[in-house]
Amino acid sequence: MPEITAQDGELFSEISRLIRESHKQVATAVNAEMTELYWQVGNAINQKVLGGERAEYGADVVRGLSKRLTEAYGRGWSAQQLRHCMRLASVFSHDEKFSALRRELSWTAVKTLMYIENPVERDFYAEMCKLNHWSSRTLNGRIKSMLFERTAISKKPEETIENDLMQLRETGEVSEELVFRDPYFLDYLGLRDSYSERDLEMAIIAELQQFITELGNDFAFLDRQKRITIDGEDYYLDLLFFHRRLRRLVAIELKLGKFEAAYKGQMELYLRWLEKHEMVEGENAPIGLILCSGKNDEHIELMGLDEGSIRVAEYLTQLPDRKLLEEKLRLSIERAKRRVSAANAERG
């Protein structure tokens, strides 16, 4: 038997890579064509069969059509699947945006998206799913964790949200509002009752991968307890990250209890030092994130922290009841929108 040489091994690896890439391209093409077929089927049913008819009659038509299609083409054409097709065609226009969606996302992901009622929220998850290459399981997890409601973008007028999403879709550039959340879920850290800021930091470092997942895919960890020396005095920044798409250093300070006004001055000092000593050519100015276990919304509003280079957000080490969280987020979004409306009125 001929001896396998290193060159043979390299050749095998190269051909294996080509085969895997080809399989992936074929799978992507098949998925795109399948989603296109489902849209066409749903559109045909919606437009040509059920237009203006009673719901009971429509259900009978779908059941009868499902039976005949299954007899002719086998499994995969159940009444439920036909209803998915109808939903797909009613939710998504057959345009360039849908074309990109079917090329980049699996049918399972598209099916999840099309049952989100709010079109702005649906567009948000679609763009984030494409940007971060989420699996269907990850997408469902993000929806369950109310990522849209927790993302700063949800607190802006819908026209502004749509502009930010259009920018992401067309250029791949993200706004700060798409990056930062409030609150952050840190329930996986296992912290209960009494703990210190150091306990919180150590728990985050121990579960760094999950922390980065909660922050977002584009965050890269750089340092912890970053020493900052000013006038011979040492300060220590809790965590330092870099965000690839924003091209900015992100300084994170962890605080127990509610936000205090003094935290702003401390973070401003760190950001100016980072800008002077750590920024490299091509980067944007650093941004700060102060994570507190509670917020003082009036303090934050009066200090203009919603518009500057410092963000303040809550973290939760234990998840509250979903209804309580929904109400908390609803009130937060309403306050933010009122501030935006008031600011627009002043400018107008």
Side-chain angles (χ1 to χ4, degrees), residues 75-109:
R75 297 174 59 186
W77 295 105
S78 65
Q80 180 63 49
Q81 177 61 24
L82 293 181
R83 285 191 287 272
H84 289 325
C85 295
M86 295 161 64
R87 174 74 180 185
L88 177 69
S90 64
V91 165
F92 292 108
S93 300
H94 198 263
D95 53 16
E96 290 184 7
K97 189 158 69 171
F98 174 72
S99 181
L101 197 72
R102 69 183 181 86
R103 289 196 309 269
E104 297 183 51
L105 301 184
S106 70
W107 163 241
T108 306

Side-chain angles (χ1 to χ4, degrees), residues 65-205:
L65 184 60
S66 169
K67 183 177 179 181
R68 294 189 63 183
L69 288 172
T70 300
E71 290 172 351
Y73 300 104
R75 297 174 59 186
W77 295 105
S78 65
Q80 180 63 49
Q81 177 61 24
L82 293 181
R83 285 191 287 272
H84 289 325
C85 295
M86 295 161 64
R87 174 74 180 185
L88 177 69
S90 64
V91 165
F92 292 108
S93 300
H94 198 263
D95 53 16
E96 290 184 7
K97 189 158 69 171
F98 174 72
S99 181
L101 197 72
R102 69 183 181 86
R103 289 196 309 269
E104 297 183 51
L105 301 184
S106 70
W107 163 241
T108 306
V110 172
K111 188 166 61 175
T112 298
L113 292 169
M114 69 190 189
Y115 284 102
I116 297 174
E117 295 292 342
N118 181 343
V120 176
E121 181 179 353
R122 183 169 60 240
D123 202 17
F124 166 82
Y125 281 114
E127 295 307 319
M128 298 305 287
C129 195
K130 289 190 291 183
L131 175 69
N132 296 305
H133 307 291
W134 288 343
S135 65
S136 297
R137 181 178 180 181
T138 300
L139 171 60
N140 278 294
R142 295 294 185 271
I143 295 171
K144 187 177 180 181
S145 75
M146 303 179 71
L147 181 66
F148 174 72
E149 291 85 350
R150 295 190 295 118
T151 300
I153 195 172
S154 70
K155 302 175 184 180
K156 299 168 67 176
E158 288 196 358
E159 181 181 347
T160 309
I161 297 176
E162 288 164 357
N163 289 338
D164 283 1
L165 292 174
M166 184 181 299
Q167 173 183 292
L168 172 60
R169 186 162 47 245
E170 294 179 353
T171 69
E173 296 181 1
V174 297
S175 64
E176 292 173 18
E177 284 72 18
L178 278 169
V179 170
F180 292 100
R181 327 251 189 263
D182 183 24
Y184 287 87
F185 290 164
L186 306 183
D187 54 305
Y188 52 83
L189 297 180
L191 296 170
R192 297 291 183 270
D193 303 324
S194 179
Y195 56 88
S196 66
E197 288 180 5
R198 181 163 179 79
D199 292 334
L200 178 59
E201 179 191 332
M202 294 296 291
I204 286 174
I205 295 300

Side-chain angles (χ1 to χ4, degrees), residues 105-340:
L105 301 184
S106 70
W107 163 241
T108 306
V110 172
K111 188 166 61 175
T112 298
L113 292 169
M114 69 190 189
Y115 284 102
I116 297 174
E117 295 292 342
N118 181 343
V120 176
E121 181 179 353
R122 183 169 60 240
D123 202 17
F124 166 82
Y125 281 114
E127 295 307 319
M128 298 305 287
C129 195
K130 289 190 291 183
L131 175 69
N132 296 305
H133 307 291
W134 288 343
S135 65
S136 297
R137 181 178 180 181
T138 300
L139 171 60
N140 278 294
R142 295 294 185 271
I143 295 171
K144 187 177 180 181
S145 75
M146 303 179 71
L147 181 66
F148 174 72
E149 291 85 350
R150 295 190 295 118
T151 300
I153 195 172
S154 70
K155 302 175 184 180
K156 299 168 67 176
E158 288 196 358
E159 181 181 347
T160 309
I161 297 176
E162 288 164 357
N163 289 338
D164 283 1
L165 292 174
M166 184 181 299
Q167 173 183 292
L168 172 60
R169 186 162 47 245
E170 294 179 353
T171 69
E173 296 181 1
V174 297
S175 64
E176 292 173 18
E177 284 72 18
L178 278 169
V179 170
F180 292 100
R181 327 251 189 263
D182 183 24
Y184 287 87
F185 290 164
L186 306 183
D187 54 305
Y188 52 83
L189 297 180
L191 296 170
R192 297 291 183 270
D193 303 324
S194 179
Y195 56 88
S196 66
E197 288 180 5
R198 181 163 179 79
D199 292 334
L200 178 59
E201 179 191 332
M202 294 296 291
I204 286 174
I205 295 300
E207 299 291 345
L208 188 58
Q209 185 57 54
Q210 283 191 269
F211 183 65
I212 291 176
T213 298
E214 172 64 4
L215 287 177
N217 288 7
D218 282 315
F219 280 88
F221 175 68
L222 297 182
D223 205 352
R224 58 176 290 210
Q225 289 300 303
K226 172 76 174 176
R227 187 168 70 176
I228 293 174
T229 304
I230 302 172
D231 291 329
E233 186 173 352
D234 289 337
Y235 299 87
Y236 294 89
L237 172 64
D238 288 335
L239 299 167
L240 182 62
F241 287 82
F242 183 76
H243 193 277
R244 293 185 305 136
R245 290 180 185 272
L246 292 179
R247 297 188 297 279
R248 299 179 101 171
L249 291 167
V250 181
I252 298 180
E253 277 290 287
L254 307 170
K255 302 296 183 182
L256 301 183
K258 289 188 176 182
F259 172 79
E260 296 179 12
Y263 297 161
K264 178 187 178 185
Q266 180 188 31
M267 180 60 80
E268 285 176 336
L269 187 67
Y270 293 168
L271 294 180
R272 299 295 79 77
W273 187 92
L274 291 170
E275 186 174 359
K276 181 177 180 180
H277 297 285
E278 295 290 326
M279 269 182 62
V280 300
E281 187 176 352
E283 288 182 7
N284 296 314
I287 191 167
L289 173 62
I290 303 172
L291 286 177
C292 307
S293 59
K295 287 173 62 179
N296 291 317
D297 291 305
E298 191 173 2
H299 276 72
I300 292 167
E301 180 181 353
L302 291 173
M303 298 173 80
L305 293 178
D306 289 326
E307 302 172 359
S309 60
I310 299 175
R311 301 275 174 163
V312 180
E314 286 184 90
Y315 62 85
L316 302 176
T317 57
Q318 298 182 56
L319 294 187
D321 179 84
R322 185 176 179 86
K323 289 184 178 179
L324 292 176
L325 179 61
E326 287 175 346
E327 179 63 14
K328 181 183 181 71
L329 293 171
R330 185 186 67 78
L331 292 173
S332 175
I333 291 170
E334 284 185 358
R335 283 195 298 268
K337 288 187 174 180
R338 283 198 297 270
R339 288 198 296 271
V340 171

